[in-house]
Amino acid sequence: MQLQASQNQVPFMRRQLEEASRQVAALKDEKKKQLAAVEDLKREVDIFINQFLKQESVEKEKQEWLRQLFEDIKALEEELVEAYQEEQAQRKTVSKLTGEREAMAREAAKQVAAARETHEELKVRELVIIDLTKKHAETGTRLREFSKLYDVVKADRNKYVNQIQASAQALAEMKEKIKILQNEVEILRNESVAKDKALSKERLEHSNSFSACDALRAEQNKHLAAVKEKEVRVQQLVAEIDNLNSLINGIEKQMLKLKKRYETVVEERNYTGIQLIDRNDELCILYEKCNMQQTVLRKGELAIREREEEIRMLDLQVAELCREIEVTRRKLPKVPELEQQIMTLQAQLEEERRLSDELSGELEAPENSKRWRKLEGKDPEPEDLAAKLQVLEERVNDKKEQLLEKDLVLEEVSNLANRLRTQALEGRESTLELAKRVNDFQARIKGTTRRMMATVSELSMYQATAMKLTQENQQKEEHLQGMDSNLDQGLPPSEELELAWQRYEQDLMRRSNEAYAKNVLQETAPTQLTHTTAEPRPNAYIPDDIGIPKPYGALAPFKPTELGTTMRHIRRPQPREIEL
């Protein structure tokens, strides 16, 4: 109904919308015309105002006309404002109508969609109704068929129930007969079991006696073989002990030889050490002499350096003289001037000579008392001077001889020092070799002592084991003699053997009883039965109407296994509802 009403209102709303749009268009046109008229009036007013300003003598009629014109302009402006307001109101109504139209259109679309859905749902419901009618017809036919089958099965069930009752009576009679026969079989079985036990006991006693004798013989043979093995082992150990003793004696002899060699080597080392000390002392003395000669050499080198310095100074003087000669050669062009100077200088020299002659004459004249003075001291005699000169010459000769001797000594010392250095180097090598040999000998001595100690410890161990084996051999012989004496007296050889024999008999009895029980069970048990630990499956059910177990037959239902502990972690499924 609402859909139809909304559909009926749609044309009316469309017409209103068209009328409103036409009114809006007309108002817009009118507004444009009024705006154009206002513009024209404004232009005319401006023109008239200009004319009025130009013409001051305007008549009153024109003034009134202008006033009337202004009033018309104001009225037109007011009409224009009213038209604008009306236009705004029309626009609001148009927008409101458009909103209502859109809302009605949406509502109409919803109603159309709902109508389509209802049509589709009606079609689906019709199809479902058709399917259900078909299923109803099929179920009716199947129900009729199952009712017929039920009648047939009911007749068969009654027949089988009668047969089951008859078979149950026959089964009860057969069970009574089987019980009687089982009692008779049990009596006969007990008698046979008693006879079998007696027979098996006698057989066991007979076989046990034979086996005991065999075991005792085997044990005796084992003990004899062990005694022989121990004797052979003792003989081997004695031979090994003899070998080790001989080996120890040889090692001791080698140790004595090594000790002697070590003592000789030590003496040689001490002697070489003493010689080395003497050579070191001599070397120190030679080093001191060498140091003295080095000081003398340093002094000689200093003197040589002084002479070289003097030679250098003389060379400088020679160079200076050469320079002066060169300067004089350069001054040769000035010879006349120099000759003039020479002439003047010669005149001055003559004057000075004359003056010196005068002075010497005055000095030589004995009349002059101021020409001499007395000197202090005493002049040596010629003999003293000659003696002093001779002493000085002797000292010089002695010094020269000492210098020659020192040169010779220096040469000898240097030669000896070189030889001693070479000997010291050779001695170092020889001492190193001797030290290495001594270390080798010491290491060998230590190794031999260790080996000797190891052999001695092994020998002591072998001796201890030999003593232990001899004691064990004696104990075994005593034990064997005791066992022989017990056998001669008709007693068991030992308590351990008696207990072992009893355990053996018990084991044989247990095995024979188990075998007999197994044979009896196999003879008495029915052949169709099978021993199993599995849980029996249900092979029959009890109907509600009869109350008697009825077998399933070949088509027994499946029995599921019991649920485990892990099922508590599994969520039970929720059945869904079937919607038609």
Side-chain angles (χ1 to χ4, degrees):
M1 296 296 289
Q2 290 179 359
L3 180 63
Q4 290 177 358
S6 60
Q7 287 178 357
N8 293 325
Q9 288 179 2
V10 166
F12 179 70
M13 297 297 292
R14 284 179 181 174
R15 285 195 296 273
Q16 287 182 354
L17 182 62
E18 290 175 357
E19 289 176 359
S21 61
R22 282 196 296 274
Q23 289 177 3
V24 168
L27 289 170
K28 285 181 179 179
D29 294 334
E30 190 176 356
K31 182 181 178 182
K32 288 179 181 179
K33 290 177 181 179
Q34 288 178 359
L35 288 172
V38 168
E39 291 292 330
D40 293 335
L41 289 171
K42 283 182 179 180
R43 282 196 297 273
E44 289 177 358
V45 167
D46 292 332
I47 292 165
F48 284 125
I49 288 167
N50 290 325
Q51 290 177 1
F52 179 75
L53 291 172
K54 289 178 182 179
Q55 295 176 4
E56 293 181 356
S57 60
V58 180
E59 296 178 355
K60 291 180 180 180
E61 293 178 359
K62 288 185 178 181
Q63 290 178 358
E64 290 177 359
W65 182 73
L66 287 171
R67 195 179 299 113
Q68 186 68 33
L69 189 60
F70 278 117
E71 289 176 358
D72 293 336
I73 289 166
K74 287 180 181 179
L76 289 172
E77 286 178 354
E78 289 176 358
E79 289 178 359
L80 183 63
V81 170
E82 289 176 357
Y84 181 72
Q85 290 176 357
E86 189 177 357
E87 183 184 0
Q88 293 291 328
Q90 292 293 329
R91 282 183 180 178
K92 288 179 180 179
T93 54
V94 168
S95 62
K96 186 177 180 181
L97 289 171
T98 53
E100 290 177 356
R101 185 189 67 178
E102 290 176 357
M104 294 299 289
R106 286 195 294 271
E107 188 69 25
K110 288 181 181 179
Q111 294 295 329
V112 170
R116 287 177 184 173
E117 289 178 358
T118 52
H119 284 299
E120 293 292 332
E121 191 174 355
L122 285 171
K123 289 179 182 179
V124 171
R125 292 289 177 85
E126 288 175 357
L127 293 172
V128 169
I129 289 165
I130 292 165
D131 292 334
L132 289 173
T133 52
K134 289 180 181 179
K135 287 181 180 179
H136 181 68
E138 290 177 358
T139 51
T141 54
R142 290 179 68 187
L143 181 62
R144 286 191 293 274
E145 290 176 358
F146 279 118
S147 63
K148 291 178 182 179
L149 289 172
Y150 176 72
D151 294 333
V152 174
V153 169
K154 192 173 182 181
D156 292 335
R157 186 191 65 181
N158 294 325
K159 184 175 67 173
Y160 289 134
V161 165
N162 294 324
Q163 291 178 1
I164 287 165
Q165 290 175 357
S167 62
Q169 290 176 0
L171 183 63
E173 292 175 358
M174 292 299 291
K175 283 181 179 179
E176 291 293 333
K177 290 180 182 179
I178 288 166
K179 285 181 181 178
I180 294 165
L181 292 172
Q182 283 179 355
N183 291 326
E184 292 177 356
V185 168
E186 188 69 26
I187 293 164
L188 294 171
R189 189 182 295 162
N190 292 327
E191 291 177 357
S192 64
V193 166
K195 291 179 181 179
D196 289 333
K197 284 182 180 179
L199 181 62
S200 63
K201 190 174 181 181
E202 290 178 358
R203 287 178 180 174
L204 284 172
E205 289 176 356
H206 186 67
S207 62
N208 288 333
S209 61
F210 275 110
S211 60
C213 291
D214 294 334
L216 290 171
R217 287 196 191 95
E219 190 70 23
Q220 187 178 5
N221 293 326
K222 286 181 182 178
H223 285 297
L224 291 172
V227 168
K228 289 180 181 179
E229 288 178 358
K230 297 292 182 183
E231 289 177 355
V232 172
R233 181 63 178 167
V234 168
Q235 290 176 1
Q236 290 177 358
L237 291 172
V238 169
E240 288 179 359
I241 289 164
D242 294 333
N243 292 326
L244 291 171
N245 287 324
S246 61
L247 183 63
I248 289 164
N249 293 324
I251 290 167
E252 287 178 352
K253 290 178 182 178
Q254 289 180 1
M255 285 178 66
L256 292 171
K257 290 179 182 179
L258 289 171
K259 281 183 180 179
K260 289 179 181 179
R261 289 180 67 186
Y262 179 70
E263 289 174 356
T264 55
V265 169
V266 168
E267 289 177 357
E268 290 177 358
R269 185 191 64 184
N270 295 328
Y271 180 69
T272 53
I274 292 164
Q275 286 183 351
L276 184 62
I277 291 165
D278 294 336
R279 294 294 180 273
N280 285 327
D281 294 335
E282 292 177 359
L283 185 62
C284 291
I285 293 164
L286 292 172
Y287 275 132
E288 290 178 357
K289 290 181 180 180
C290 183
N291 291 326
M292 292 171 67
Q293 296 298 324
Q294 285 178 358
T295 53
V296 172
L297 285 171
R298 288 195 197 96
K299 290 179 181 179
E301 288 176 356
L302 290 172
I304 289 166
R305 287 176 184 172
E306 290 176 357
R307 297 293 179 271
E308 288 177 353
E309 188 67 24
E310 290 177 359
I311 290 165
R312 190 175 64 79
M313 293 299 292
L314 291 172
D315 290 334
L316 291 172
Q317 290 177 3
V318 169
E320 184 67 23
L321 290 172
C322 291
R323 188 181 64 77
E324 290 178 356
I325 291 165
E326 186 67 27
V327 170
T328 53
R329 284 179 182 174
R330 289 176 182 175
K331 289 181 179 180
L332 284 174
K334 298 179 181 180
V335 171
E337 295 178 359
L338 293 173
E339 287 178 355
Q340 188 65 32
Q341 289 179 3
I342 288 166
M343 292 295 289
T344 56
L345 290 171
Q346 284 178 357
Q348 291 176 2
L349 181 61
E350 289 292 334
E351 185 66 27
E352 292 295 330
R353 282 178 181 175
R354 186 181 61 74
L355 184 59
S356 65
D357 289 335
E358 290 178 358
L359 290 172
S360 63
E362 290 179 358
L363 183 62
E364 291 175 358
E367 292 85 7
N368 191 3
S369 60
K370 296 180 180 179
R371 64 184 179 85
W372 59 276
R373 65 184 179 85
K374 189 175 180 180
L375 296 173
E376 295 179 357
K378 183 175 73 171
D379 293 332
E381 296 294 331
E383 291 84 4
D384 296 332
L385 292 171
K388 191 179 284 188
L389 182 62
Q390 190 175 0
V391 170
L392 291 171
E393 288 177 354
E394 288 177 357
R395 286 180 67 186
V396 169
N397 292 324
D398 292 334
K399 293 292 182 183
K400 287 180 179 179
E401 289 177 358
Q402 288 178 3
L403 183 61
L404 291 171
E405 288 177 358
K406 286 180 179 180
D407 290 333
L408 294 171
V409 169
L410 179 61
E411 290 178 359
E412 291 178 359
V413 167
S414 60
N415 293 325
L416 288 171
N418 293 325
R419 280 188 289 174
L420 286 171
R421 282 173 186 167
T422 55
Q423 286 180 2
L425 293 171
E426 292 175 356
R428 285 179 185 174
E429 293 177 357
S430 61
T431 51
L432 286 171
E433 290 178 357
L434 288 171
K436 288 179 181 178
R437 290 179 66 188
V438 168
N439 291 326
D440 292 334
F441 281 122
Q442 287 179 355
R444 289 174 66 185
I445 289 164
K446 288 180 181 178
T448 50
T449 52
R450 287 175 183 171
R451 286 197 296 273
M452 186 175 70
M453 293 297 289
T455 51
V456 169
S457 62
E458 288 179 359
L459 180 61
S460 62
M461 288 173 65
Y462 284 129
Q463 287 176 355
T465 51
M467 292 172 68
K468 187 176 179 181
L469 290 171
T470 52
Q471 289 178 1
E472 288 180 358
N473 192 7
Q474 290 176 2
Q475 291 176 2
K476 295 288 184 182
E477 287 179 353
E478 291 175 358
H479 187 63
L480 185 61
Q481 289 176 2
M483 291 171 70
D484 290 334
S485 63
N486 290 329
L487 288 172
D488 293 335
Q489 292 175 6
L491 298 172
S494 63
E495 294 179 357
E496 292 83 2
L497 291 173
E498 187 176 3
L499 292 171
W501 180 253
Q502 289 177 1
R503 286 195 296 272
Y504 180 69
E505 287 181 348
Q506 290 174 2
D507 193 10
L508 288 175
M509 286 290 291
R510 182 177 57 78
R511 288 180 182 177
S512 63
N513 291 329
E514 288 178 356
Y516 180 73
K518 189 175 181 181
N519 292 326
V520 169
L521 183 63
Q522 288 178 358
E523 290 175 358
T524 57
T527 57
Q528 68 271 16
L529 295 178
T530 304
H531 179 69
T532 180
T533 59
E535 187 179 355
R537 293 181 62 187
N539 55 5
Y541 67 97
I542 300 172
D544 295 332
D545 53 356
I546 301 172
I548 298 170
K550 187 175 182 180
Y552 284 116
L555 302 173
F558 174 72
K559 182 183 179 183
T561 56
E562 293 182 358
L563 299 178
T565 57
T566 57
M567 288 299 293
R568 66 177 184 272
H569 303 295
I570 298 170
R571 186 180 296 172
R572 181 174 293 177
Q574 297 292 333
R576 295 182 180 179
E577 295 181 359
I578 299 170
E579 295 180 358
L580 298 175

